[in-house]
């Protein structure tokens, strides 16, 4: 799904455009959530541009999957998937996050229930796609940066 949003300042008449997209490969549990997410991302982009915060938000960071109409994603080799998982486990070992927090993130963000004991395994838990692993790794990296910035 894709969305385009226009916002206008009533005082100056200046306008901003926000565009957003979402794809089922991101792990949505309901089809309607895809359109809602695309719309939310478009609104967020327009507002961020209007207030002068032009950096990409977490939702805008490119993912490994393409949106509809683009070329289909290439298959990810097992080595890349394993490397992503090792990065996630590294954040757990560094105590950037707890296993409970990671399990809660997977439930909240991807609607995937993963027992904490599966987070100790050498390979990613079943049902966790490469795209979800990438998002999880990026989320943990951002969380670590915020923790370091607070010190």
């Amino acid at each position: 799904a894709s969305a385009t949003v226009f916002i206008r300042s009533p005082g100056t008449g200046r306008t901003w455009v926000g565009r957003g997209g979402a794809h089922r490969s991101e792990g949505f549990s309901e089809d309607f959530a895809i359109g809602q997410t695309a719309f939310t991302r478009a609104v967020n982009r327009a507002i961020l541009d209007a207030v002068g915060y032009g950096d990409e938000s977490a939702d805008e960071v490119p993912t490994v999957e393409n949106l509809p109409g683009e070329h289909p994603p290439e298959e990810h080799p097992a080595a890349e998937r394993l490397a992503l998982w090792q990065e996630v486990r590294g954040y757990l070992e560094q105590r950037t996050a707890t296993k409970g927090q990671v399990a809660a993130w997977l439930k909240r963000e991807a609607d995937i229930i993963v027992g904490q004991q599966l987070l100790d395994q050498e390979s990613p838990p079943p049902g966790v796609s490469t795209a979800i692993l990438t998002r999880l790794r990026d989320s943990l990296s951002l969380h670590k940066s915020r923790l370091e910035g607070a010190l």
Side-chain angles (χ1 to χ4, degrees):
S2 64
T4 303
V5 173
F6 299 87
I7 61 172
R8 185 177 64 83
S9 167
T12 65
R14 187 168 176 199
T15 60
W16 294 269
V17 177
R19 291 183 178 87
H23 190 264
R24 77 183 66 204
S25 65
E26 294 181 71
F28 295 99
S29 60
E30 300 288 338
D31 285 343
F32 70 85
I34 300 169
Q36 288 177 335
T37 300
F39 177 76
T40 300
R41 289 174 180 171
V43 169
N44 288 347
R45 171 55 23 213
I47 292 170
L48 288 173
D49 285 349
V51 298
Y53 187 81
D55 293 341
E56 289 181 329
S57 67
D59 283 339
E60 296 172 310
V61 175
T63 62
V64 294
E65 273 81 16
N66 295 315
L67 293 173
E70 295 180 337
H71 298 290
E74 297 176 13
E75 290 297 318
H76 298 282
E80 180 182 353
R81 183 172 160 77
L82 188 57
L84 283 167
W85 181 243
Q86 294 307 318
E87 287 183 69
V88 168
R89 290 195 56 211
Y91 286 116
L92 287 170
E93 291 169 6
Q94 296 168 14
R95 296 185 182 199
T96 300
T98 66
K99 288 187 266 186
Q101 289 171 319
V102 170
W105 186 95
L106 288 167
K107 173 63 178 145
R108 181 181 67 250
E109 299 293 325
D111 200 27
I112 299 172
I113 297 173
V114 174
Q116 292 183 27
Q117 71 279 7
L118 293 177
L119 301 177
D120 290 327
Q121 295 181 354
E122 293 294 321
S123 59
V128 180
S129 69
T130 302
I132 297 300
L133 284 175
T134 302
R135 287 177 51 209
L136 174 58
R137 187 248 351 242
D138 294 347
S139 179
L140 288 169
S141 174
L142 181 62
H143 181 66
K144 181 180 180 184
S145 297
R146 288 179 179 158
L147 288 175
E148 290 171 348
L151 295 178

